[in-house]
Amino acid sequence: MSRFWSPFVKDLVPYVPGEQPKLTKLVKLNTNENPYGPSPKALEAMRGELNDDLRLYPDPNGDRLKQAVAEYYGVTAQQVFVGNGSDEVLAHIFHGLFQHDAPLLFPDVSYSFYPVYCGLYGIPFEQVALDEQFQIRIADYAKPNAGIIFPNPNAPTGCLMPLDVVEQLLRANRDSVVVVDEAYIDFGGETAISLVDRYDNLLVTQTLSKSRSLAGLRVGLAVGHPDLIDALERIKNSFNSYPLDRMAIVGAAVAFEDREYFAATCRKVIDSREALVEQLQGKGFEVLPSAANFIFARHPQQDAAQLAARLREQGVIVRHFKQTRIAQFLRITVGTPEMNQALIDALG
Ligand SMILES: Cc1ncc(COP(=O)(O)O)c(C=O)c1O
């Protein structure tokens, strides 16, 4: 703390990201990155951006990327917002759409950045308990609220809410913004983007950090009614006109266009997940059903924090959360079959 800090900064409780180790030999299964690289076509397109044009500012609107996303999902570019990672997109959503008198609702076990943004922007919130099976019970959201947000599949559980249930939730909450954070949707879920033309209160966020393997590029997006997108543009243009650089705009657009590579790598991750679930169950772990590129598992006889520490000693890092309800779980990113085998060997 410094005497120069404002009282506001003093009270902030920042998000703590998963470890990004400097040691490269570690088997890194802790931050849900994709074990396969980005689309080679996207890499080539980004290399093509490394020229004298870097002296010029990028397109402040990222139109090339908005167009690629619009085409991919069959929406208009006016329904698309792009930003520096979906974390930034989420920050603008909290700032621009959730600041009202009633509480924002989200699950008690969920993405831990949500309460941080509430703290940053002064948004009252209520964490709604998941049921015993760690599922969202939509009836529990039938109360006055200034918005609802949840990841689908949920993080860190990996559990998926089927699209028809998402629609029931939307129908029951016509007067507040419902944000579906689809960071992991491509690993087994069905996107709610198909519903944006019918529900003007729906905003769907996605990231290129997971299924398109571009966590290092920092690109995220939101799709929804143009009036909601307009609110995000107003915030963005009051904060940073150029959140995406020249490489990010082109690389992300080409990653959306390279459907073949995307489909093939998602398939590999899904197959690898199913194999890993079986291997872990064989070792006595209980594993929640996952539609994501990670699994959430606990061992009835092993303390999760100790297990994570012992795995770390053996060069395998997984994520452990201290939060009481999930303190006995480990969140394990799905790696290549070789990485998963290294985990299984370390557990052995
Ligand atoms: C549920 C969820 N939403 C959003 C994000 C943010 O992703 P990014 O900022 O890399 O787009 C993450 C990252 O792990 C996440 O788990």
Side-chain angles (χ1 to χ4, degrees):
M1 221 226 291
S2 147
R3 66 197 167 95
F4 298 113
W5 284 19
S6 72
F8 174 73
V9 169
K10 193 163 59 68
D11 291 337
L12 283 182
V13 185
Y15 176 74
V16 183
E19 182 189 358
Q20 294 296 345
K22 299 285 181 287
L23 290 171
T24 48
K25 275 201 311 243
L26 292 170
V27 178
K28 192 171 177 306
L29 302 176
N30 67 330
T31 47
N32 299 342
E33 287 129 335
N34 198 315
Y36 303 104
S39 149
K41 289 182 184 160
L43 291 176
E44 197 186 310
M46 285 189 273
R47 279 187 212 106
E49 287 299 302
L50 292 175
N51 56 45
D52 280 353
D53 285 350
L54 279 176
R55 71 193 175 77
L56 303 171
Y57 284 104
D59 172 8
N61 296 318
D63 283 337
R64 166 96 170 80
L65 174 56
K66 285 184 182 173
Q67 201 51 49
V69 174
E71 256 165 51
Y72 186 87
Y73 283 118
V75 296
T76 66
Q78 291 67 44
Q79 289 171 295
V80 181
F81 179 79
V82 294
N84 191 268
S86 59
D87 280 340
E88 185 186 80
V89 175
L90 289 168
H92 293 342
I93 292 171
F94 277 67
H95 205 178
L97 297 167
F98 287 158
Q99 273 184 331
H100 302 284
D101 295 336
L104 172 68
L105 306 180
F106 51 86
D108 62 339
V109 177
S110 187
Y111 186 33
S112 39
F113 226 133
Y114 300 158
V116 174
Y117 286 137
C118 287
L120 180 62
Y121 295 119
I123 298 165
F125 65 95
E126 187 183 325
Q127 290 174 290
V128 183
L130 296 175
D131 72 12
E132 247 80 279
Q133 277 73 48
F134 291 93
Q135 301 288 336
I136 292 173
R137 249 186 325 232
I138 59 166
D140 296 346
Y141 290 75
K143 54 173 100 171
N145 66 73
I148 295 172
I149 185 166
F150 61 96
N152 197 35
N154 197 5
T157 65
C159 299
L160 180 75
M161 182 191 284
L163 191 57
D164 59 317
V165 183
V166 174
E167 187 164 9
Q168 283 173 38
L169 182 69
L170 281 162
R171 234 182 272 131
N173 285 280
R174 290 255 183 198
D175 293 326
S176 52
V177 173
V178 176
V179 177
V180 187
D181 175 351
E182 293 188 348
Y184 303 100
I185 196 70
D186 297 318
F187 299 109
E190 207 182 334
T191 179
I193 291 177
S194 57
L195 301 175
V196 293
D197 283 336
R198 269 183 285 149
Y199 297 90
D200 63 358
N201 59 328
L202 168 63
L203 204 50
V204 179
T205 61
Q206 291 193 356
T207 176
L208 279 86
S209 301
K210 316 293 177 180
S211 55
R212 288 184 176 78
S213 197
L214 286 167
L217 197 65
R218 310 305 301 129
V219 185
L221 57 101
V223 180
H225 191 281
D227 289 350
L228 299 182
I229 300 302
D230 206 26
L232 303 182
E233 298 288 358
R234 288 170 73 99
I235 297 270
K236 173 239 164 199
N237 288 319
S238 308
F239 179 75
N240 178 4
S241 311
Y242 308 102
L244 293 185
D245 61 49
R246 286 172 168 268
M247 275 157 295
I249 292 170
V250 170
V254 175
F256 261 96
E257 286 156 6
D258 191 354
R259 296 181 188 214
E260 217 171 295
Y261 184 84
F262 166 73
T265 46
C266 284
R267 187 72 253 159
K268 283 206 274 190
V269 171
I270 293 167
D271 290 347
S272 194
R273 176 185 72 212
E274 298 313 306
L276 178 62
V277 169
E278 261 183 45
Q279 283 177 300
L280 287 173
Q281 284 170 338
K283 291 212 165 286
F285 279 87
E286 293 163 12
V287 184
L288 295 188
S290 169
N293 69 337
F294 58 86
I295 55 164
F296 208 46
R298 74 175 146 198
H299 196 287
Q301 280 99 39
Q302 303 278 343
D303 178 70
Q306 281 179 20
L307 209 47
R310 298 217 312 266
L311 284 171
R312 181 81 173 65
E313 285 163 18
Q314 298 192 63
V316 179
I317 33 179
V318 299
R319 187 99 195 246
H320 173 256
F321 298 92
K322 291 205 184 88
Q323 194 187 333
T324 321
R325 204 175 161 191
I326 54 171
Q328 285 311 320
F329 280 87
L330 294 177
R331 193 197 66 190
I332 305 168
T333 304
V334 175
T336 59
E338 295 73 31
M339 292 160 84
N340 296 348
Q341 192 56 49
L343 166 76
I344 297 297
D345 293 347
L347 285 168

